[in-house]
């Protein structure tokens, strides 16, 4: 604690250091009274004291507003991926990818307009557990939710539906980062599926069938800025 | 003063796919967004989700931001709306069994309330102080952050060693740095800051 005024006098001028001490909370009672007295006499002192105090309070309160480093890191990583993709072409596929990116997944692909659809995703954040994408051309909606069961196994549960809310036949596969299929599932009569996810990054590919049961070839879009295109990832 | 990158410039870098620019932007506004989330008393997992949602909404809608100098306001508004929506969904989920007399979205939405407006202004002013510190840069920024941003009673000996000044210089340097900061804040339009001209020694009641 500092006190620049051994003998306090009623109309003594105050220095800018004393005003700063008062605003910083390090002034003793005598100095505090003197600065406040000066502030009541002179609006400029009052203004300076007020602005110093406001700045100090704002700086101190920042401690309460610090997100965790992990939270910041995830926002940066996901945003950086999206920012990079922005520089690429703005194709419908890319935009569909952004939809899933926003939900915490990186998507993927969708090639044929006649009901063939596939998507793949990397789930790397635990914040966004629900996502939905509507593929207009094929009139297909995919809704999915990642859930963590009591046994610790992470599953993705969802549905693949047509625009008229009729279920769509589809096969879902989980691929590791090397493209190896880890598990598969098929939608049931209600268009629903549930599939286990590994810990860490993975791709989820959905291959939907057209009304005539044709499965169209699919392509998985690159997950990262430098990943090469991969074709024929239909399952 | 340090070289401070403006928001429009950062946004331009993000639009070009510059991930370093994006990282800087998140750093600059992380506390502003978090402060809004904290104010809405969101649960930790919800808070982290909202934080990420706000920033990814920014990057995916970055072409739609026309007033690039109002980015802070945009972030505050977007964060508040997301908090309300998540709160509403949480409440709906918890109370699904009961019928609600009022519209939860409406009752949660304090967009027009005076209290909320004041709170938003306070959050934006805090952001101005953060930016003011960034613009100040150098030893002044380091000293003020060490004095006021570390929590608890500042350890002058450690601070002096870290900043590279004598312990006895901390008081005078603090005053000069606070004054410089308020000049910067004045230029940025901070409501509490005095006029941009330094006032030391020129006023009747200031030595």
């Amino acid at each position: 604690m500092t006190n620049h005024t051994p003998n306090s006098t009623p109309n003594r001028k105050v220095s800018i250091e004393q005003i700063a001490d008062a605003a910083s909370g390090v002034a003793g009672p005598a100095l505090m009274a003197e600065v406040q007295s000066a502030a009541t006499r002179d609006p400029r002192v009052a203004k300076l004291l007020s602005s110093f105090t406001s700045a100090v309070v704002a700086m101190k309160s920042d401690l309460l507003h610090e997100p965790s480093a992990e939270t910041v890191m995830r926002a940066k990583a996901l945003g950086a991926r999206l920012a990079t993709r922005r520089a690429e072409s703005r194709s419908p596929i890319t935009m569909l990818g952004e939809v899933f990116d926003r939900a915490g997944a990186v998507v993927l692909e969708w090639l044929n307009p006649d009901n063939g659809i596939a998507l793949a995703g990397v789930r790397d954040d635990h914040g966004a557990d629900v996502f939905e994408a509507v593929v207009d051309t094929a009139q297909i909606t995919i809704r999915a939710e990642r859930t963590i069961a009591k046994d610790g196994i992470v599953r993705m549960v969802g549905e693949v539906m047509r625009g008229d809310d009729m279920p769509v036949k589809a096969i879902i596969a989980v691929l590791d980062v090397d493209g190896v299929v880890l598990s598969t599932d098929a939608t049931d009569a209600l268009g629903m599926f549930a599939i286990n996810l590994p810990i860490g990054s993975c791709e989820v590919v959905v291959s939907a069938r057209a009304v005539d049961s044709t499965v169209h070839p699919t392509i998985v879009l690159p997950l990262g800025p430098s990943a090469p295109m991969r074709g024929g990832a239909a399952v | 003063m340090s070289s401070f990158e403006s928001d429009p410039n950062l946004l331009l870098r993000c639009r070009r796919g510059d991930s370093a620019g994006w990282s800087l932007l998140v750093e600059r506004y992380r506390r502003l967004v978090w402060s809004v989330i904290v104010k809405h008393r969101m649960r930790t997992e919800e808070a982290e989700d909202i934080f990420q949602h706000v920033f990814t909404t920014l990057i995916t809608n970055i072409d739609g931001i026309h007033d690039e100098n109002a980015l802070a306001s945009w972030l505050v508004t977007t964060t508040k709306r997301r908090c309300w929506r998540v709160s509403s969904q949480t409440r709906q989920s918890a109370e699904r069994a009961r019928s609600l007399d009022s519209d939860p979205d409406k009752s949660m939405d304090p967009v027009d309330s005076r209290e909320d407006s004041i709170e938003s202004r306070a959050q934006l002013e805090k952001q101005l102080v953060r930016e003011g510190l960034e613009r100040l840069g150098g030893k002044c920024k380091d000293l003020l952050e060490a004095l006021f941003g570390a929590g608890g009673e500042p350890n002058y000996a450690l601070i002096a060693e870290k900043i590279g000044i004598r312990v006895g210089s901390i008081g005078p340097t603090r005053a000069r740095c606070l004054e410089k900061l308020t000049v910067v804040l004045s230029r940025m339009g901070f409501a509490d800051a005095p006029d941009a001209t330094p006032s030391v020694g020129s006023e009747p009641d200031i030595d």
Side-chain angles (χ1 to χ4, degrees), chain A residues 13 21 54 62 66 86, chain B residues 30-31 63 130 174 192 204:
Chain A
K13 291 180 180 179
D21 283 349
S54 296
D62 249 3
E66 187 65 75
R86 291 186 56 79
Chain B
R30 72 189 195 283
R31 285 178 168 173
D63 292 329
R130 291 175 202 128
R174 172 178 55 213
D192 257 343

Side-chain angles (χ1 to χ4, degrees), chain A residues 133-201:
Chain A
V134 179
V135 184
D136 291 333
T137 317
Q139 293 289 298
I140 284 177
T141 298
I142 300 169
R143 301 184 190 93
E145 180 177 6
R146 184 186 58 181
T147 60
I148 302 175
K150 288 180 180 176
D151 56 11
I153 295 175
V154 181
R155 294 185 179 85
M156 180 174 283
V157 181
E159 62 181 9
V160 185
M161 308 293 283
R162 285 197 331 226
D164 56 2
D165 277 341
M166 293 299 289
V168 173
K169 287 183 179 178
I171 297 174
I172 297 93
V174 175
L175 283 63
D176 67 13
V177 290
D178 297 319
V180 176
V181 176
L182 301 176
S183 54
T184 62
D185 189 29
T187 53
D188 61 16
L190 299 174
M192 300 192 71
F193 66 90
I195 196 162
N196 292 355
L197 298 177
I199 294 172
S201 299

Side-chain angles (χ1 to χ4, degrees), chain A residues 63-140:
Chain A
L63 281 177
L64 305 172
H65 301 139
E66 187 65 75
S68 72
E70 190 187 356
T71 303
V72 176
M73 184 195 72
R74 283 210 304 264
K76 284 182 182 176
L78 188 56
R81 215 158 58 217
L82 286 168
T84 305
R85 180 173 292 161
R86 291 186 56 79
E88 299 168 358
S89 67
R90 300 285 298 169
S91 68
I93 293 174
T94 302
M95 290 192 282
L96 178 62
E98 290 177 359
V99 169
F100 281 86
D101 268 332
R102 284 200 297 275
V106 178
V107 169
L108 295 182
E109 89 59 60
W110 188 68
L111 197 56
N112 286 292
D114 47 354
N115 287 3
I117 180 170
L119 68 96
V122 171
R123 304 294 307 226
D124 60 358
D125 66 312
H126 289 271
D129 284 339
V130 180
F131 61 87
E132 175 177 313
V134 179
V135 184
D136 291 333
T137 317
Q139 293 289 298
I140 284 177

Side-chain angles (χ1 to χ4, degrees), chain A residues 2-78:
Chain A
T2 59
N3 195 333
H4 297 269
T5 57
N7 53 343
S8 193
T9 50
N11 294 315
R12 189 176 178 278
K13 291 180 180 179
V14 291
S15 71
I16 196 155
E17 287 178 28
Q18 291 170 321
I19 298 172
D21 283 349
S24 305
V26 298
L31 176 58
M32 199 69 191
E34 191 163 343
V35 171
Q36 283 172 346
S37 171
T40 55
R41 293 192 306 272
D42 186 342
R44 294 297 300 266
V45 174
K47 189 74 177 169
L48 206 55
L49 178 62
S50 170
S51 59
F52 281 6
T53 304
S54 296
V56 168
V57 167
M59 285 186 278
K60 284 182 174 175
S61 72
D62 249 3
L63 281 177
L64 305 172
H65 301 139
E66 187 65 75
S68 72
E70 190 187 356
T71 303
V72 176
M73 184 195 72
R74 283 210 304 264
K76 284 182 182 176
L78 188 56

